[in-house]
Amino acid sequence: MTGVSEAAYWQRLTCPYEQSFQSLRRVWCRQSSAECCTGFAFDPDAPSVDGGRMEVEEGTDSFTVFVQELSHGEGVYWCGLLSEDKTIIKLAEGDFHSCKY
């Protein structure tokens, strides 16, 4: 991610994956139960998602989501990959909170 100031982002989550999964769509979602989450999928080459509230930095074996604003509210968020059979391959999770200055 070129020219993006990390200081503008108050939370981030790095999502490591196996090289063979590199072309799969990315997933960002808020946990709704132990087995489910609500959110969206996006393409690997998307530099920003969720109306610009988040930016994504791609690595060779991971992607990092930089969150500026939570559109789905506070809670535990997952990052993952959307498999060919449309199931989520969960890669990492983090507890995200709204930040008020």
Side-chain angles (χ1 to χ4, degrees):
M1 184 167 31
T2 321
V4 174
S5 169
E6 286 188 35
Y9 298 91
W10 46 272
Q11 294 177 93
R12 68 178 168 189
L13 186 60
T14 299
C15 315
Y17 56 81
E18 293 179 27
Q19 194 71 19
S20 60
F21 294 143
Q22 188 172 16
S23 64
L24 294 178
R25 296 191 80 204
R26 279 55 175 139
V27 172
W28 179 256
C29 58
R30 183 173 174 258
Q31 180 176 313
S32 52
S33 72
E35 300 288 322
C36 295
C37 67
T38 302
F40 52 87
F42 53 95
D43 292 327
D45 59 352
S48 68
V49 292
D50 199 17
R53 292 180 184 95
M54 299 169 24
E55 297 210 7
V56 182
E57 181 179 81
E58 280 293 329
T60 56
D61 60 357
S62 69
F63 66 96
T64 302
V65 178
F66 295 86
V67 179
Q68 195 168 32
E69 184 182 338
L70 295 167
S71 62
H72 290 91
E74 296 182 321
V76 175
Y77 279 78
W78 299 354
C79 61
L81 301 170
L82 191 60
S83 71
E84 299 294 332
D85 66 359
K86 305 296 183 208
T87 58
I88 296 172
I89 302 166
K90 183 178 171 184
L91 302 174
E93 71 176 49
D95 195 11
F96 284 74
H97 299 279
S98 294
C99 187
K100 306 284 186 206
Y101 293 106

